[in-house]
Amino acid sequence: MSVFGVICEYNPFHNGHKYLLEQIKSDNNSVIAVMSGSFTQRGDVAIADKFSRAETAVKYGADLVLELPTVYACAPAETFARGAVQVLRGTGVLDSLCFGSETDDTELLKAAADIFEDERFKTELKANMESGDYYPKAVEKAAETIHSQKLAKLLSTPNNILAVEYLRALRGTDIGFKAVKRVGTNHDSNEVSGEYTSASNIRSIIKQGVSFSSFTPDYEITNPADFKNLERTVLYRMRTMNKDEIAALPDVKEGLENRIYDAVQTSGSLDELLDSVKTKRYTMSRLRRILVYALLGITADLPQTDAPYIRVLAFNKKGAELMSHIKKRSSLPLITNVSDGYNSLDDNAKRIFDIDIRATDIFNLATEKVGECKSDFTRKLKIED
């Protein structure tokens, strides 16, 4: 029996996620999932609260669910992967990382990870960026120039890009990896393939008030969240920021703060603001993340730090056994009780944990029915069967 790690958002948990966990558990392995909390990698609120998502994951295959701190969860793929791998590695019990991707060709995935260390690739990537390409397109074009069209195609799909970043983050560790080819439809696709469709399509179905049970195991989302419910809050926050404060946010470079500041002065909605700032060089996900950074008070230095703690969201009996081993082997503090755990952290870790707490409180303003404040402190952990 081995301990496998899974990096996820479960936004929401669907049949494709269940399939991946079943592939790992078929040999009686244990699973530790590191999951985004209240905000996600694309710069959005999660569709459901982090506690219920974690408990659903445990119900359908995960043994222990840990929170990926918000400063890494709401970040570009490289930072997202680095933070998640640091949390998993910090447990001291992980044998391998398992992930879903559009390919299970491990040699090609490793070649894609290696190319980022190639100086020729770095030069080509920089040239593409300087010519105006946004980062994902610049990467794809550089890979085709330096390596092959096949490798470039691999780097054109979101799950493959994350898979490559996981391998880069694993470099220098003794942690193995297993790639499982995705089943069903593509990432962000609106297509349906039997009992499978993308998480983004399920979120759209939920917001339409239509049943999503065909694509998920048996559970309900009773109080979904929507970023639109935070629109005036975000606009207020942006209108109170000066250019220097905007420039201090992650991923704001090369004068982008001026473009954002000017757009804020004339925009009466988030769509108008984003449309005013967006160019070929700046993806919508990047711009949405910048709005989240501003809303939560995430400055550019925080995502660059190493993950400073391990926060438990849900577990079962096997997960409880894993936690006992983690307490003995971990290089990071294991937090099950927020009040006690917070007080044990150093100042830098508290800054990162403060963002998690703030993210949960603001998430609870984005739900259909406004949630309680400080639920990080009041929500009790329970052992799932």
Side-chain angles (χ1 to χ4, degrees), residues 51-88:
F51 303 104
S52 63
R53 285 163 38 234
E55 289 165 5
T56 299
V58 170
K59 183 177 180 180
Y60 292 104
D63 297 304
L64 175 63
V65 180
L66 310 174
E67 181 173 6
L68 176 60
T70 309
V71 298
Y72 316 114
C74 188
E78 181 178 0
T79 303
F80 179 94
R82 176 177 56 80
V85 168
Q86 286 176 351
V87 171
L88 285 169

PDB file of all heavy atoms in Angstrom, residues 51-88:
ATOM      1  N   PHE A  51     -15.557  23.268   3.039  1.00  0.00           N
ATOM      2  CA  PHE A  51     -15.793  22.167   3.976  1.00  0.00           C
ATOM      3  C   PHE A  51     -16.687  21.097   3.351  1.00  0.00           C
ATOM      4  O   PHE A  51     -16.382  19.900   3.434  1.00  0.00           O
ATOM      5  CB  PHE A  51     -16.413  22.706   5.269  1.00  0.00           C
ATOM      6  CG  PHE A  51     -15.600  23.764   5.938  1.00  0.00           C
ATOM      7  CD1 PHE A  51     -15.973  25.097   5.858  1.00  0.00           C
ATOM      8  CD2 PHE A  51     -14.439  23.452   6.626  1.00  0.00           C
ATOM      9  CE1 PHE A  51     -15.229  26.084   6.468  1.00  0.00           C
ATOM     10  CE2 PHE A  51     -13.674  24.432   7.236  1.00  0.00           C
ATOM     11  CZ  PHE A  51     -14.073  25.753   7.157  1.00  0.00           C
ATOM     12  N   SER A  52     -17.772  21.506   2.716  1.00  0.00           N
ATOM     13  CA  SER A  52     -18.672  20.523   2.106  1.00  0.00           C
ATOM     14  C   SER A  52     -18.016  19.853   0.908  1.00  0.00           C
ATOM     15  O   SER A  52     -18.218  18.654   0.673  1.00  0.00           O
ATOM     16  CB  SER A  52     -19.994  21.176   1.704  1.00  0.00           C
ATOM     17  OG  SER A  52     -19.803  22.178   0.715  1.00  0.00           O
ATOM     18  N   ARG A  53     -17.202  20.577   0.156  1.00  0.00           N
ATOM     19  CA  ARG A  53     -16.490  19.967  -0.970  1.00  0.00           C
ATOM     20  C   ARG A  53     -15.500  18.936  -0.468  1.00  0.00           C
ATOM     21  O   ARG A  53     -15.339  17.850  -1.049  1.00  0.00           O
ATOM     22  CB  ARG A  53     -15.779  21.044  -1.800  1.00  0.00           C
ATOM     23  CG  ARG A  53     -16.731  21.829  -2.661  1.00  0.00           C
ATOM     24  CD  ARG A  53     -16.222  23.155  -3.198  1.00  0.00           C
ATOM     25  NE  ARG A  53     -14.844  23.168  -3.589  1.00  0.00           N
ATOM     26  CZ  ARG A  53     -13.952  24.054  -3.137  1.00  0.00           C
ATOM     27  NH1 ARG A  53     -14.295  24.967  -2.244  1.00  0.00           N
ATOM     28  NH2 ARG A  53     -12.712  24.024  -3.562  1.00  0.00           N
ATOM     29  N   ALA A  54     -14.789  19.261   0.621  1.00  0.00           N
ATOM     30  CA  ALA A  54     -13.823  18.318   1.198  1.00  0.00           C
ATOM     31  C   ALA A  54     -14.530  17.080   1.732  1.00  0.00           C
ATOM     32  O   ALA A  54     -14.061  15.941   1.537  1.00  0.00           O
ATOM     33  CB  ALA A  54     -13.030  18.997   2.308  1.00  0.00           C
ATOM     34  N   GLU A  55     -15.647  17.258   2.401  1.00  0.00           N
ATOM     35  CA  GLU A  55     -16.387  16.123   2.951  1.00  0.00           C
ATOM     36  C   GLU A  55     -16.935  15.229   1.839  1.00  0.00           C
ATOM     37  O   GLU A  55     -16.951  13.991   1.965  1.00  0.00           O
ATOM     38  CB  GLU A  55     -17.511  16.635   3.848  1.00  0.00           C
ATOM     39  CG  GLU A  55     -16.996  17.235   5.161  1.00  0.00           C
ATOM     40  CD  GLU A  55     -18.032  18.073   5.892  1.00  0.00           C
ATOM     41  OE1 GLU A  55     -19.205  18.118   5.423  1.00  0.00           O
ATOM     42  OE2 GLU A  55     -17.688  18.690   6.916  1.00  0.00           O
ATOM     43  N   THR A  56     -17.355  15.835   0.719  1.00  0.00           N
ATOM     44  CA  THR A  56     -17.807  15.043  -0.430  1.00  0.00           C
ATOM     45  C   THR A  56     -16.657  14.221  -0.995  1.00  0.00           C
ATOM     46  O   THR A  56     -16.828  13.041  -1.341  1.00  0.00           O
ATOM     47  CB  THR A  56     -18.378  15.964  -1.528  1.00  0.00           C
ATOM     48  OG1 THR A  56     -19.494  16.687  -1.010  1.00  0.00           O
ATOM     49  CG2 THR A  56     -18.830  15.162  -2.745  1.00  0.00           C
ATOM     50  N   ALA A  57     -15.475  14.818  -1.079  1.00  0.00           N
ATOM     51  CA  ALA A  57     -14.308  14.100  -1.588  1.00  0.00           C
ATOM     52  C   ALA A  57     -13.980  12.897  -0.720  1.00  0.00           C
ATOM     53  O   ALA A  57     -13.644  11.816  -1.221  1.00  0.00           O
ATOM     54  CB  ALA A  57     -13.105  15.042  -1.673  1.00  0.00           C
ATOM     55  N   VAL A  58     -14.075  13.057   0.603  1.00  0.00           N
ATOM     56  CA  VAL A  58     -13.812  11.936   1.517  1.00  0.00           C
ATOM     57  C   VAL A  58     -14.876  10.859   1.356  1.00  0.00           C
ATOM     58  O   VAL A  58     -14.586   9.662   1.383  1.00  0.00           O
ATOM     59  CB  VAL A  58     -13.740  12.442   2.977  1.00  0.00           C
ATOM     60  CG1 VAL A  58     -13.721  11.274   3.952  1.00  0.00           C
ATOM     61  CG2 VAL A  58     -12.495  13.303   3.170  1.00  0.00           C
ATOM     62  N   LYS A  59     -16.097  11.271   1.168  1.00  0.00           N
ATOM     63  CA  LYS A  59     -17.196  10.319   0.991  1.00  0.00           C
ATOM     64  C   LYS A  59     -16.966   9.423  -0.219  1.00  0.00           C
ATOM     65  O   LYS A  59     -17.351   8.246  -0.224  1.00  0.00           O
ATOM     66  CB  LYS A  59     -18.512  11.080   0.838  1.00  0.00           C
ATOM     67  CG  LYS A  59     -19.750  10.197   0.710  1.00  0.00           C
ATOM     68  CD  LYS A  59     -21.009  11.043   0.627  1.00  0.00           C
ATOM     69  CE  LYS A  59     -22.253  10.167   0.490  1.00  0.00           C
ATOM     70  NZ  LYS A  59     -23.490  10.984   0.397  1.00  0.00           N
ATOM     71  N   TYR A  60     -16.294   9.967  -1.248  1.00  0.00           N
ATOM     72  CA  TYR A  60     -16.140   9.218  -2.497  1.00  0.00           C
ATOM     73  C   TYR A  60     -14.691   8.841  -2.822  1.00  0.00           C
ATOM     74  O   TYR A  60     -14.373   8.614  -3.987  1.00  0.00           O
ATOM     75  CB  TYR A  60     -16.770  10.001  -3.649  1.00  0.00           C
ATOM     76  CG  TYR A  60     -18.275  10.068  -3.515  1.00  0.00           C
ATOM     77  CD1 TYR A  60     -18.889  11.236  -3.085  1.00  0.00           C
ATOM     78  CD2 TYR A  60     -19.061   8.954  -3.760  1.00  0.00           C
ATOM     79  CE1 TYR A  60     -20.271  11.300  -2.933  1.00  0.00           C
ATOM     80  CE2 TYR A  60     -20.439   9.007  -3.614  1.00  0.00           C
ATOM     81  CZ  TYR A  60     -21.038  10.172  -3.198  1.00  0.00           C
ATOM     82  OH  TYR A  60     -22.411  10.232  -3.038  1.00  0.00           O
ATOM     83  N   GLY A  61     -13.827   8.746  -1.815  1.00  0.00           N
ATOM     84  CA  GLY A  61     -12.534   8.130  -2.093  1.00  0.00           C
ATOM     85  C   GLY A  61     -11.312   8.737  -1.441  1.00  0.00           C
ATOM     86  O   GLY A  61     -10.332   8.033  -1.206  1.00  0.00           O
ATOM     87  N   ALA A  62     -11.313  10.044  -1.175  1.00  0.00           N
ATOM     88  CA  ALA A  62     -10.154  10.635  -0.501  1.00  0.00           C
ATOM     89  C   ALA A  62     -10.160  10.230   0.973  1.00  0.00           C
ATOM     90  O   ALA A  62     -11.222  10.037   1.565  1.00  0.00           O
ATOM     91  CB  ALA A  62     -10.178  12.151  -0.629  1.00  0.00           C
ATOM     92  N   ASP A  63      -8.994  10.088   1.553  1.00  0.00           N
ATOM     93  CA  ASP A  63      -8.893   9.745   2.977  1.00  0.00           C
ATOM     94  C   ASP A  63      -8.633  10.983   3.839  1.00  0.00           C
ATOM     95  O   ASP A  63      -9.069  11.040   4.996  1.00  0.00           O
ATOM     96  CB  ASP A  63      -7.769   8.733   3.193  1.00  0.00           C
ATOM     97  CG  ASP A  63      -8.058   7.424   2.480  1.00  0.00           C
ATOM     98  OD1 ASP A  63      -9.113   6.828   2.727  1.00  0.00           O
ATOM     99  OD2 ASP A  63      -7.220   7.019   1.643  1.00  0.00           O
ATOM    100  N   LEU A  64      -7.943  11.945   3.279  1.00  0.00           N
ATOM    101  CA  LEU A  64      -7.584  13.153   4.012  1.00  0.00           C
ATOM    102  C   LEU A  64      -7.556  14.303   3.015  1.00  0.00           C
ATOM    103  O   LEU A  64      -6.921  14.204   1.972  1.00  0.00           O
ATOM    104  CB  LEU A  64      -6.208  12.981   4.665  1.00  0.00           C
ATOM    105  CG  LEU A  64      -5.580  14.171   5.379  1.00  0.00           C
ATOM    106  CD1 LEU A  64      -6.432  14.616   6.566  1.00  0.00           C
ATOM    107  CD2 LEU A  64      -4.163  13.818   5.860  1.00  0.00           C
ATOM    108  N   VAL A  65      -8.269  15.380   3.326  1.00  0.00           N
ATOM    109  CA  VAL A  65      -8.286  16.553   2.446  1.00  0.00           C
ATOM    110  C   VAL A  65      -7.652  17.721   3.185  1.00  0.00           C
ATOM    111  O   VAL A  65      -8.068  18.076   4.294  1.00  0.00           O
ATOM    112  CB  VAL A  65      -9.710  16.922   2.001  1.00  0.00           C
ATOM    113  CG1 VAL A  65      -9.672  18.149   1.082  1.00  0.00           C
ATOM    114  CG2 VAL A  65     -10.367  15.749   1.275  1.00  0.00           C
ATOM    115  N   LEU A  66      -6.639  18.313   2.567  1.00  0.00           N
ATOM    116  CA  LEU A  66      -5.919  19.468   3.106  1.00  0.00           C
ATOM    117  C   LEU A  66      -6.234  20.685   2.252  1.00  0.00           C
ATOM    118  O   LEU A  66      -6.500  20.569   1.054  1.00  0.00           O
ATOM    119  CB  LEU A  66      -4.415  19.204   3.084  1.00  0.00           C
ATOM    120  CG  LEU A  66      -3.944  17.885   3.698  1.00  0.00           C
ATOM    121  CD1 LEU A  66      -2.446  17.713   3.465  1.00  0.00           C
ATOM    122  CD2 LEU A  66      -4.269  17.820   5.187  1.00  0.00           C
ATOM    123  N   GLU A  67      -6.200  21.856   2.865  1.00  0.00           N
ATOM    124  CA  GLU A  67      -6.461  23.080   2.112  1.00  0.00           C
ATOM    125  C   GLU A  67      -5.184  23.607   1.482  1.00  0.00           C
ATOM    126  O   GLU A  67      -4.152  23.723   2.139  1.00  0.00           O
ATOM    127  CB  GLU A  67      -7.066  24.153   3.008  1.00  0.00           C
ATOM    128  CG  GLU A  67      -7.366  25.445   2.253  1.00  0.00           C
ATOM    129  CD  GLU A  67      -8.118  26.472   3.069  1.00  0.00           C
ATOM    130  OE1 GLU A  67      -8.316  26.247   4.284  1.00  0.00           O
ATOM    131  OE2 GLU A  67      -8.514  27.504   2.493  1.00  0.00           O
ATOM    132  N   LEU A  68      -5.266  23.932   0.192  1.00  0.00           N
ATOM    133  CA  LEU A  68      -4.187  24.651  -0.472  1.00  0.00           C
ATOM    134  C   LEU A  68      -4.363  26.127  -0.135  1.00  0.00           C
ATOM    135  O   LEU A  68      -5.382  26.730  -0.491  1.00  0.00           O
ATOM    136  CB  LEU A  68      -4.255  24.442  -1.989  1.00  0.00           C
ATOM    137  CG  LEU A  68      -3.240  25.210  -2.831  1.00  0.00           C
ATOM    138  CD1 LEU A  68      -1.814  24.840  -2.444  1.00  0.00           C
ATOM    139  CD2 LEU A  68      -3.477  24.971  -4.318  1.00  0.00           C
ATOM    140  N   PRO A  69      -3.412  26.739   0.581  1.00  0.00           N
ATOM    141  CA  PRO A  69      -3.580  28.141   0.957  1.00  0.00           C
ATOM    142  C   PRO A  69      -3.938  29.020  -0.236  1.00  0.00           C
ATOM    143  O   PRO A  69      -3.448  28.823  -1.354  1.00  0.00           O
ATOM    144  CB  PRO A  69      -2.216  28.507   1.539  1.00  0.00           C
ATOM    145  CG  PRO A  69      -1.708  27.219   2.116  1.00  0.00           C
ATOM    146  CD  PRO A  69      -2.159  26.171   1.133  1.00  0.00           C
ATOM    147  N   THR A  70      -4.777  29.999   0.005  1.00  0.00           N
ATOM    148  CA  THR A  70      -5.343  30.831  -1.050  1.00  0.00           C
ATOM    149  C   THR A  70      -4.287  31.518  -1.887  1.00  0.00           C
ATOM    150  O   THR A  70      -4.465  31.715  -3.102  1.00  0.00           O
ATOM    151  CB  THR A  70      -6.283  31.884  -0.439  1.00  0.00           C
ATOM    152  OG1 THR A  70      -7.209  31.226   0.432  1.00  0.00           O
ATOM    153  CG2 THR A  70      -7.042  32.636  -1.508  1.00  0.00           C
ATOM    154  N   VAL A  71      -3.164  31.895  -1.285  1.00  0.00           N
ATOM    155  CA  VAL A  71      -2.139  32.621  -2.046  1.00  0.00           C
ATOM    156  C   VAL A  71      -1.545  31.754  -3.159  1.00  0.00           C
ATOM    157  O   VAL A  71      -0.989  32.292  -4.129  1.00  0.00           O
ATOM    158  CB  VAL A  71      -1.015  33.164  -1.136  1.00  0.00           C
ATOM    159  CG1 VAL A  71      -1.577  34.151  -0.126  1.00  0.00           C
ATOM    160  CG2 VAL A  71      -0.257  32.045  -0.448  1.00  0.00           C
ATOM    161  N   TYR A  72      -1.636  30.432  -3.036  1.00  0.00           N
ATOM    162  CA  TYR A  72      -1.191  29.524  -4.101  1.00  0.00           C
ATOM    163  C   TYR A  72      -2.371  29.028  -4.934  1.00  0.00           C
ATOM    164  O   TYR A  72      -2.222  28.761  -6.128  1.00  0.00           O
ATOM    165  CB  TYR A  72      -0.464  28.307  -3.517  1.00  0.00           C
ATOM    166  CG  TYR A  72       0.521  28.634  -2.429  1.00  0.00           C
ATOM    167  CD1 TYR A  72       0.312  28.205  -1.120  1.00  0.00           C
ATOM    168  CD2 TYR A  72       1.662  29.387  -2.694  1.00  0.00           C
ATOM    169  CE1 TYR A  72       1.200  28.512  -0.105  1.00  0.00           C
ATOM    170  CE2 TYR A  72       2.561  29.705  -1.682  1.00  0.00           C
ATOM    171  CZ  TYR A  72       2.318  29.262  -0.381  1.00  0.00           C
ATOM    172  OH  TYR A  72       3.200  29.586   0.614  1.00  0.00           O
ATOM    173  N   ALA A  73      -3.535  28.891  -4.308  1.00  0.00           N
ATOM    174  CA  ALA A  73      -4.706  28.350  -5.007  1.00  0.00           C
ATOM    175  C   ALA A  73      -5.188  29.294  -6.096  1.00  0.00           C
ATOM    176  O   ALA A  73      -5.616  28.862  -7.172  1.00  0.00           O
ATOM    177  CB  ALA A  73      -5.837  28.079  -4.014  1.00  0.00           C
ATOM    178  N   CYS A  74      -5.132  30.590  -5.811  1.00  0.00           N
ATOM    179  CA  CYS A  74      -5.570  31.589  -6.785  1.00  0.00           C
ATOM    180  C   CYS A  74      -4.336  32.202  -7.433  1.00  0.00           C
ATOM    181  O   CYS A  74      -4.003  33.371  -7.183  1.00  0.00           O
ATOM    182  CB  CYS A  74      -6.421  32.646  -6.084  1.00  0.00           C
ATOM    183  SG  CYS A  74      -7.194  33.802  -7.237  1.00  0.00           S
ATOM    184  N   ALA A  75      -3.667  31.408  -8.260  1.00  0.00           N
ATOM    185  CA  ALA A  75      -2.378  31.825  -8.819  1.00  0.00           C
ATOM    186  C   ALA A  75      -2.149  31.109 -10.145  1.00  0.00           C
ATOM    187  O   ALA A  75      -2.821  30.111 -10.449  1.00  0.00           O
ATOM    188  CB  ALA A  75      -1.251  31.484  -7.830  1.00  0.00           C
ATOM    189  N   PRO A  76      -1.203  31.580 -10.950  1.00  0.00           N
ATOM    190  CA  PRO A  76      -0.859  30.867 -12.194  1.00  0.00           C
ATOM    191  C   PRO A  76      -0.426  29.431 -11.916  1.00  0.00           C
ATOM    192  O   PRO A  76      -0.065  29.076 -10.783  1.00  0.00           O
ATOM    193  CB  PRO A  76       0.289  31.699 -12.767  1.00  0.00           C
ATOM    194  CG  PRO A  76       0.127  33.051 -12.163  1.00  0.00           C
ATOM    195  CD  PRO A  76      -0.421  32.818 -10.787  1.00  0.00           C
ATOM    196  N   ALA A  77      -0.428  28.621 -12.969  1.00  0.00           N
ATOM    197  CA  ALA A  77      -0.200  27.178 -12.829  1.00  0.00           C
ATOM    198  C   ALA A  77       1.091  26.841 -12.096  1.00  0.00           C
ATOM    199  O   ALA A  77       1.130  25.938 -11.256  1.00  0.00           O
ATOM    200  CB  ALA A  77      -0.205  26.522 -14.212  1.00  0.00           C
ATOM    201  N   GLU A  78       2.171  27.558 -12.366  1.00  0.00           N
ATOM    202  CA  GLU A  78       3.456  27.249 -11.738  1.00  0.00           C
ATOM    203  C   GLU A  78       3.392  27.423 -10.219  1.00  0.00           C
ATOM    204  O   GLU A  78       3.848  26.565  -9.462  1.00  0.00           O
ATOM    205  CB  GLU A  78       4.551  28.144 -12.313  1.00  0.00           C
ATOM    206  CG  GLU A  78       5.933  27.864 -11.737  1.00  0.00           C
ATOM    207  CD  GLU A  78       7.017  28.723 -12.346  1.00  0.00           C
ATOM    208  OE1 GLU A  78       6.706  29.556 -13.227  1.00  0.00           O
ATOM    209  OE2 GLU A  78       8.188  28.571 -11.949  1.00  0.00           O
ATOM    210  N   THR A  79       2.793  28.531  -9.758  1.00  0.00           N
ATOM    211  CA  THR A  79       2.679  28.788  -8.325  1.00  0.00           C
ATOM    212  C   THR A  79       1.675  27.844  -7.682  1.00  0.00           C
ATOM    213  O   THR A  79       1.897  27.349  -6.566  1.00  0.00           O
ATOM    214  CB  THR A  79       2.263  30.249  -8.081  1.00  0.00           C
ATOM    215  OG1 THR A  79       3.216  31.114  -8.707  1.00  0.00           O
ATOM    216  CG2 THR A  79       2.180  30.560  -6.604  1.00  0.00           C
ATOM    217  N   PHE A  80       0.568  27.597  -8.352  1.00  0.00           N
ATOM    218  CA  PHE A  80      -0.444  26.649  -7.879  1.00  0.00           C
ATOM    219  C   PHE A  80       0.194  25.285  -7.626  1.00  0.00           C
ATOM    220  O   PHE A  80       0.028  24.688  -6.561  1.00  0.00           O
ATOM    221  CB  PHE A  80      -1.547  26.542  -8.938  1.00  0.00           C
ATOM    222  CG  PHE A  80      -2.666  25.592  -8.626  1.00  0.00           C
ATOM    223  CD1 PHE A  80      -3.833  26.041  -8.019  1.00  0.00           C
ATOM    224  CD2 PHE A  80      -2.579  24.244  -8.960  1.00  0.00           C
ATOM    225  CE1 PHE A  80      -4.880  25.172  -7.744  1.00  0.00           C
ATOM    226  CE2 PHE A  80      -3.619  23.368  -8.690  1.00  0.00           C
ATOM    227  CZ  PHE A  80      -4.772  23.833  -8.077  1.00  0.00           C
ATOM    228  N   ALA A  81       0.945  24.792  -8.608  1.00  0.00           N
ATOM    229  CA  ALA A  81       1.573  23.474  -8.488  1.00  0.00           C
ATOM    230  C   ALA A  81       2.643  23.465  -7.406  1.00  0.00           C
ATOM    231  O   ALA A  81       2.729  22.519  -6.604  1.00  0.00           O
ATOM    232  CB  ALA A  81       2.176  23.076  -9.840  1.00  0.00           C
ATOM    233  N   ARG A  82       3.474  24.497  -7.363  1.00  0.00           N
ATOM    234  CA  ARG A  82       4.551  24.552  -6.376  1.00  0.00           C
ATOM    235  C   ARG A  82       3.997  24.543  -4.956  1.00  0.00           C
ATOM    236  O   ARG A  82       4.463  23.791  -4.092  1.00  0.00           O
ATOM    237  CB  ARG A  82       5.411  25.804  -6.603  1.00  0.00           C
ATOM    238  CG  ARG A  82       6.509  25.987  -5.559  1.00  0.00           C
ATOM    239  CD  ARG A  82       7.381  27.195  -5.873  1.00  0.00           C
ATOM    240  NE  ARG A  82       6.631  28.424  -6.015  1.00  0.00           N
ATOM    241  CZ  ARG A  82       6.197  29.169  -4.989  1.00  0.00           C
ATOM    242  NH1 ARG A  82       6.444  28.790  -3.743  1.00  0.00           N
ATOM    243  NH2 ARG A  82       5.529  30.278  -5.211  1.00  0.00           N
ATOM    244  N   GLY A  83       2.979  25.360  -4.691  1.00  0.00           N
ATOM    245  CA  GLY A  83       2.397  25.409  -3.356  1.00  0.00           C
ATOM    246  C   GLY A  83       1.782  24.091  -2.950  1.00  0.00           C
ATOM    247  O   GLY A  83       1.953  23.629  -1.815  1.00  0.00           O
ATOM    248  N   ALA A  84       1.061  23.460  -3.885  1.00  0.00           N
ATOM    249  CA  ALA A  84       0.396  22.199  -3.572  1.00  0.00           C
ATOM    250  C   ALA A  84       1.398  21.087  -3.307  1.00  0.00           C
ATOM    251  O   ALA A  84       1.235  20.291  -2.368  1.00  0.00           O
ATOM    252  CB  ALA A  84      -0.538  21.811  -4.723  1.00  0.00           C
ATOM    253  N   VAL A  85       2.452  21.011  -4.123  1.00  0.00           N
ATOM    254  CA  VAL A  85       3.473  19.983  -3.915  1.00  0.00           C
ATOM    255  C   VAL A  85       4.193  20.222  -2.591  1.00  0.00           C
ATOM    256  O   VAL A  85       4.527  19.271  -1.869  1.00  0.00           O
ATOM    257  CB  VAL A  85       4.466  19.955  -5.098  1.00  0.00           C
ATOM    258  CG1 VAL A  85       5.690  19.115  -4.763  1.00  0.00           C
ATOM    259  CG2 VAL A  85       3.777  19.404  -6.349  1.00  0.00           C
ATOM    260  N   GLN A  86       4.414  21.474  -2.236  1.00  0.00           N
ATOM    261  CA  GLN A  86       5.063  21.761  -0.944  1.00  0.00           C
ATOM    262  C   GLN A  86       4.208  21.295   0.228  1.00  0.00           C
ATOM    263  O   GLN A  86       4.734  20.769   1.218  1.00  0.00           O
ATOM    264  CB  GLN A  86       5.351  23.256  -0.829  1.00  0.00           C
ATOM    265  CG  GLN A  86       6.520  23.708  -1.684  1.00  0.00           C
ATOM    266  CD  GLN A  86       6.727  25.211  -1.643  1.00  0.00           C
ATOM    267  OE1 GLN A  86       5.903  25.958  -1.112  1.00  0.00           O
ATOM    268  NE2 GLN A  86       7.836  25.670  -2.206  1.00  0.00           N
ATOM    269  N   VAL A  87       2.896  21.481   0.139  1.00  0.00           N
ATOM    270  CA  VAL A  87       2.010  20.993   1.201  1.00  0.00           C
ATOM    271  C   VAL A  87       2.092  19.473   1.289  1.00  0.00           C
ATOM    272  O   VAL A  87       2.250  18.899   2.373  1.00  0.00           O
ATOM    273  CB  VAL A  87       0.554  21.448   0.965  1.00  0.00           C
ATOM    274  CG1 VAL A  87      -0.392  20.762   1.957  1.00  0.00           C
ATOM    275  CG2 VAL A  87       0.434  22.960   1.100  1.00  0.00           C
ATOM    276  N   LEU A  88       1.988  18.801   0.142  1.00  0.00           N
ATOM    277  CA  LEU A  88       2.032  17.334   0.135  1.00  0.00           C
ATOM    278  C   LEU A  88       3.386  16.820   0.621  1.00  0.00           C
ATOM    279  O   LEU A  88       3.453  15.884   1.428  1.00  0.00           O
ATOM    280  CB  LEU A  88       1.745  16.813  -1.276  1.00  0.00           C
ATOM    281  CG  LEU A  88       0.295  16.875  -1.738  1.00  0.00           C
ATOM    282  CD1 LEU A  88       0.196  16.582  -3.227  1.00  0.00           C
ATOM    283  CD2 LEU A  88      -0.568  15.876  -0.947  1.00  0.00           C
TER     284      LEU A  88
END
